[in-house]
């Protein structure tokens, strides 16, 4: 049995997912939907999609009977409307992160998935990668003792993109937090949960500061969080005009664990992915055999989602609906504290 996939959107992430589907088990790319026939056919030709399944509208893609599941990877502000359309059409859904612009939209999407009995996952693909699973094992097994502090960064220098870029555009959900800031936040929630034997944990408090641009997007922002009655802290940074190393570190009572490339361990430009475990009083140990180097992170995600769909499941074990609600609530609070608003608000 194979899950037939359709993709909405033809940008960089759509291409990455389409390429991954060539190598994913139990998954096959059969259709694409775009805003024009020309762009749909161009994308489809690259990936061997017959022209009759290269759709010039999103409605046509959702109406395609050959499609079982749809990956929605348009700009963030369009996710909600498209997810509601997809659920109503009876399609299983993988919605690129952030799944929604705010909590209200996220609740609408989840309710639509429930009402129409379809699978739904917010596309934090790193959650499906063996590296992330290994990190959670280290934490849950107590190899660094009690977790005390989580530090995570994700940023890049987007100044060269110019004012026409999506990341500069408030109407397209631009800025650092919605683009990449959700990764450090979701990792902190994941690790804080693993420390308590849970799939995730929501913060007790969040305090943030940041810099908004003239186009009203966040250039950079920092957040400090506390979990488990202030037993665990987190320091998170994200920026699109203020670059830093893109690493994650968990400090425990008996050692530390550090990920050199937590978000895209499949991208060589972001450095060789390693997990370095340092126990107190011992030499660091480098762990490198937890994944097949060179395998696209989207292969792991596509396989995990496809297997869940074939098993009749409606949620992904690595990013449940409850997890997504906790995530968007924290994102909303982070945005509130730095004064970042979007039309959906």
């Amino acid at each position: 049995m194979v899950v037939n996939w359709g993709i909405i959107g033809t940008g960089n992430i759509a291409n990455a997912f389409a390429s991954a589907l060539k190598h994913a088990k139990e998954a096959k790319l059969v259709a694409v939907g775009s805003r024009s026939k020309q762009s749909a056919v161009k994308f489809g030709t690259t990936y061997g999609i017959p022209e009759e399944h290269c759709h010039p509208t999103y409605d046509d893609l959702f109406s395609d009977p050959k499609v079982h599941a749809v990956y929605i990877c348009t700009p963030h502000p369009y996710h909600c409307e498209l997810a509601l359309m997809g659920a109503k059409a009876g399609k299983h859904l993988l919605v690129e992160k952030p799944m929604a612009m705010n909590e209200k939209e996220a609740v609408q999407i989840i309710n639509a998935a429930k009402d129409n009995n379809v699978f739904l996952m917010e596309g934090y693909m790193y959650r499906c990668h063996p590296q992330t699973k290994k990190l959670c094992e280290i934490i849950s097994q107590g190899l660094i003792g009690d977790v005390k502090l989580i530090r995570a960064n994700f940023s890049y220098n987007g100044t060269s993109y110019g004012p026409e870029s999506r990341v500069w555009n408030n109407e397209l959900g631009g800025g650092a937090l919605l683009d990449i800031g959700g990764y450090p936040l979701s990792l902190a929630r994941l690790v804080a949960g693993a420390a308590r034997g849970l799939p995730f944990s929501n913060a007790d408090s969040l305090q943030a500061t940041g810099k908004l641009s003239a186009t009203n997007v966040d250039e950079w922002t920092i957040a400090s969080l506390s979990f488990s009655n202030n037993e665990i802290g987190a320091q998170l940074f994200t920026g699109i005009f203020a670059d830093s190393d893109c690493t994650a570190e968990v400090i425990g009572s008996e050692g530390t664990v550090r990920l050199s490339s937590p978000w895209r361990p499949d991208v060589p430009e972001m450095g060789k992915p390693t997990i370095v475990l340092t126990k107190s009083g011992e030499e660091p140990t480098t762990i490198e055999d937890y994944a097949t180097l060179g395998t696209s992170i989207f292969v792991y995600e596509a396989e995990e989602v496809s297997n869940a769909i074939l098993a009749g499941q409606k949620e992904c074990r690595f990013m449940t609906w409850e997890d997504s609600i906790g995530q968007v609530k924290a994102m909303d609070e982070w945005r509130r504290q730095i004064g970042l608003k979007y039309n959906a608000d």
Side-chain angles (χ1 to χ4, degrees), residues 102-297:
N102 52 37
E103 181 185 358
K104 179 181 177 181
E105 288 190 350
V107 170
Q108 286 181 312
I109 295 171
I110 291 171
N111 285 340
K114 291 179 181 177
D115 292 344
N116 293 280
N117 197 33
V118 298
F119 176 94
L120 168 68
M121 177 188 167
E122 183 174 16
Y124 278 101
M125 72 289 187
Y126 86 95
R127 287 283 193 93
C128 301
H129 195 274
Q131 177 177 247
T132 308
K133 300 175 193 177
K134 188 66 177 180
L135 171 65
C136 290
E137 287 177 9
I138 291 170
I139 300 303
S140 62
Q141 291 172 4
L143 298 185
I144 61 169
D146 298 328
V147 173
K148 299 297 184 181
L149 179 65
I150 305 157
R151 292 198 292 229
N153 303 323
F154 196 0
S155 63
Y156 60 86
N157 188 350
T159 53
S160 62
Y161 292 169
E164 301 303 317
S165 168
R166 174 187 61 81
V167 298
W168 288 79
N169 193 324
N170 180 276
E171 292 185 0
L172 293 179
L177 187 54
L178 290 195
D179 193 34
I180 54 176
Y183 287 93
L185 175 62
S186 69
L187 183 83
R189 296 176 58 255
L190 180 69
V191 169
R196 300 171 55 201
L198 301 172
F200 66 88
S201 181
N202 293 319
D204 300 320
S205 67
L206 184 155
Q207 296 179 321
T209 187
K211 170 69 166 60
L212 301 187
S213 71
T215 59
N216 195 30
V217 301
D218 55 314
E219 296 186 12
W220 59 265
T221 180
I222 302 169
S224 296
L225 294 80
S226 67
F227 297 88
S228 302
N229 296 317
N230 213 35
E231 291 292 328
I232 300 174
Q235 298 174 336
L236 312 177
F237 169 74
T238 186
I240 52 173
F241 309 124
D243 204 3
S244 77
D245 66 339
C246 297
T247 61
E249 182 181 35
V250 184
I251 302 170
S253 60
E254 299 174 14
T256 64
V257 58
R258 189 176 191 274
L259 276 64
S260 61
S261 184
W263 321 123
R264 291 299 306 271
D266 58 328
V267 176
E269 289 78 11
M270 297 192 74
K272 184 178 181 180
T274 58
I275 297 177
V276 178
L277 175 63
T278 306
K279 295 186 178 183
S280 300
E282 299 182 12
E283 290 297 316
T285 300
T286 300
I287 305 170
E288 297 178 304
D289 60 350
Y290 48 80
T292 302
L293 296 179
T295 299
S296 168
I297 198 169

Side-chain angles (χ1 to χ4, degrees), residues 298-318:
F298 293 100
V299 170
Y300 294 106
E301 181 183 46
E303 289 184 345
E304 186 65 41
V305 171
S306 296
N307 288 333
I309 291 172
L310 292 173
Q313 299 167 6
K314 298 301 179 287
E315 301 181 58
C316 177
R317 56 180 174 157
F318 298 120

Side-chain angles (χ1 to χ4, degrees), residues 3 15 32 43 49 79 130 158 204 263 278 284:
V3 174
N15 278 275
V32 61
F43 185 93
I49 302 173
H79 289 178
D204 300 320
W263 321 123
T278 306

